[in-house]
């Protein structure tokens, strides 16, 4: 954005259109945020202190939990403050910063989920060479590449924003979100929309396609296992990841990969709450409830406290 921008702050509508929902929404977001902090914090602590969880899968899971902690913190405290604010304004610098950080974290999660799918493919397709293929340096490189690529893609989108605002400063959203911001601009946003589409292909469609192909390969290997117990064990290591992928990618694709002419502002902002607030809370629940190793680590902690 350039120096000719007349608008210096934006009004976030949030839940203002539905005043009767303010208290229920506030309680929902508060419970969700506290659960996000507790659940993801617990996962990180367990993985750090339990030697049995020092494996590639849990290394990537700790990255995912840290990412979810940051992702929830970017938007949920602000949504809580704005629930009962008469004029929930956000300055332009804060708006741009929040939008960029949220975009960066969402992109990182997309890429990290693809990396975790690759980890599961190696573990199931080639278990004897798993520790050799997914060694420490490789895991660090894959995680660092996900974070680094996300930073580059975010910088490309943010630096391409050269928008003019003609007085309208009302954003129909809980946070500063890039699509909502583009709708306020009175300048030509076709290039920005193209950049978002290209970025969406690299961060949503290609990783999602890679994950689908990974699970096709996993299914091919699993179907060759004659033991029912062995088949269930192989599937159990993928169930949690597949559940998270379905929730996150489903909501993100439905928001960013559809024609903007067919978008509904109210529907889009509530979908964004789903993958921006509920997904970070659900991830640790999904992994802990479906994972014996995590449940065993929690049991050990509880025993030590007693």
């Amino acid at each position: 954005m350039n120096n000719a921008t007349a608008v210096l702050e934006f009004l976030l509508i949030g839940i203002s259109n539905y005043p009767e929902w303010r208290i229920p929404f506030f309680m929902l977001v508060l419970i969700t945020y506290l659960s996000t902090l507790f659940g993801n914090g617990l996962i990180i602590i367990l993985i750090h202190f339990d030697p049995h969880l020092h494996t590639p899968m849990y290394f990537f899971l700790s990255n995912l939990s840290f990412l979810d902690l940051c992702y929830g913190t970017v938007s949920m405290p602000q949504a809580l403050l704005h629930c009962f604010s008469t004029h929930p304004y956000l300055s332009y610098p804060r708006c741009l910063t929040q939008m960029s950080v949220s975009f960066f974290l969402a992109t990182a999660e997309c890429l990290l989920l693809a990396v975790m799918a690759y980890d599961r493919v190696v573990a199931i397709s080639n278990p004897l060479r798993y520790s050799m293929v997914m060694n420490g340096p490789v895991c660090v490189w894959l995680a660092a590449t996900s974070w680094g690529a996300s930073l580059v893609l975010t910088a490309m989108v943010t630096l391409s924003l050269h928008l003019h605002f003609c007085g309208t400063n009302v954003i129909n959203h809980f946070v500063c979100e890039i699509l909502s911001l583009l709708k306020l601009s009175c300048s030509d946003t076709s290039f920005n929309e193209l950049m978002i589409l290209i970025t969406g292909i690299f961060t949503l469609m290609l990783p999602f396609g890679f994950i689908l192909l990974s699970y096709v390969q996993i299914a091919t290997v699993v179907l060759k296992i004659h033991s029912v117990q062995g088949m269930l064990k192989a599937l159990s290591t993928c169930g949690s990841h597949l559940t998270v992928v379905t929730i996150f990618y489903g909501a993100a694709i439905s928001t960013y990969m559809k024609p903007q002419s067919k978008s509904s502002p109210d529907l889009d902002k509530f979908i964004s709450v789903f993958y921006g607030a509920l997904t970070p809370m659900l991830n640790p629940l999904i992994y802990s409830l479906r994972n014996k190793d995590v449940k065993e680590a929690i049991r050990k902690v509880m025993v030590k406290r007693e």
Side-chain angles (χ1 to χ4, degrees):
M1 299 184 187
N2 54 36
N3 294 330
T5 301
V7 175
L8 299 179
E9 57 184 5
F10 297 95
L11 173 65
L12 302 175
I13 292 180
I15 202 72
S16 301
N17 289 346
Y18 309 95
E20 69 277 9
W21 291 4
R22 284 187 174 184
I23 294 178
F25 182 78
F26 176 86
M27 295 305 299
L28 175 63
V29 174
L30 179 61
I31 293 171
T32 300
Y33 184 50
L34 293 178
S35 300
T36 298
L37 293 178
F38 176 77
N40 288 288
L42 179 62
I43 292 290
I44 294 172
I45 292 171
L46 290 175
I47 293 174
H48 179 75
F49 287 104
D50 192 334
H52 296 95
L53 300 181
H54 292 176
T55 63
M57 185 179 85
Y58 293 107
F59 170 75
F60 294 124
L61 179 56
S62 64
N63 272 263
L64 182 65
S65 293
F66 175 73
L67 195 155
D68 284 336
L69 272 176
C70 298
Y71 196 28
T73 301
V74 169
S75 58
M76 282 191 273
Q78 178 180 301
L80 290 170
L81 290 174
H82 287 181
C83 274
F84 301 102
S85 176
T86 307
H87 301 289
Y89 284 99
L90 198 65
S91 66
Y92 164 69
R94 287 184 59 194
C95 182
L96 183 62
T97 301
Q98 182 188 73
M99 182 197 72
S100 301
V101 173
S102 296
F103 195 88
F104 165 66
L105 294 172
T107 302
E109 181 146 355
C110 290
L111 299 181
L112 188 60
L113 288 172
V115 169
M116 294 174 75
Y118 173 72
D119 172 70
R120 292 299 84 205
V121 169
V122 176
I124 294 175
S125 302
N126 204 345
L128 296 180
R129 298 186 66 244
Y130 175 65
S131 58
M132 184 183 302
V133 175
M134 299 299 293
N135 55 49
V138 169
C139 292
V140 172
W141 182 82
L142 288 172
T145 300
S146 299
W147 289 92
S150 304
L151 184 61
V152 171
L153 291 169
T154 302
M156 289 173 57
V157 172
T158 303
L159 294 176
S160 70
L161 292 176
H162 297 284
L163 306 177
H164 298 272
F165 298 95
C166 304
T168 303
N169 66 338
V170 179
I171 298 179
N172 188 12
H173 214 287
F174 299 101
V175 295
C176 277
E177 193 262 347
I178 188 167
L179 295 180
S180 300
L181 203 59
L182 290 180
K183 292 176 182 177
L184 293 182
S185 176
C186 56
S187 58
D188 183 13
T189 60
S190 56
F191 178 73
N192 302 116
E193 292 173 4
L194 177 62
M195 286 294 298
I196 293 173
L197 178 62
I198 294 173
T199 305
I201 292 173
F202 281 99
T203 61
L204 287 174
M205 303 310 296
L206 289 181
F208 186 62
F210 175 79
I211 291 172
L212 290 180
L213 292 175
S214 299
Y215 276 101
V216 169
Q217 183 175 346
I218 289 172
T220 303
V221 174
V222 169
L223 290 175
K224 294 179 182 179
I225 300 176
H226 300 292
S227 168
V228 176
Q229 185 177 1
M231 184 181 297
L232 293 175
K233 182 178 180 180
L235 291 175
S236 66
T237 65
C238 303
S240 300
H241 178 260
L242 189 57
T243 304
V244 171
V245 166
T246 302
I247 294 173
F248 185 81
Y249 275 93
I253 289 175
S254 67
T255 300
Y256 290 98
M257 300 307 293
K258 68 180 180 182
Q260 291 307 303
S261 59
K262 297 182 180 180
S263 65
S264 168
D266 285 337
L267 180 61
D268 287 346
K269 72 180 181 181
F270 283 106
I271 291 177
S272 71
V273 170
F274 183 77
Y275 74 82
L278 291 182
T279 302
M281 179 195 71
L282 291 175
N283 285 353
L285 291 176
I286 292 169
Y287 276 100
S288 61
L289 292 177
R290 298 178 60 91
N291 193 295
K292 293 181 179 179
D293 294 333
V294 174
K295 288 190 286 187
E296 179 63 22
I298 294 175
R299 189 191 65 81
K300 290 179 181 178
V301 172
M302 298 301 294
V303 170
K304 287 181 179 180
R305 289 187 63 183
E306 292 176 358

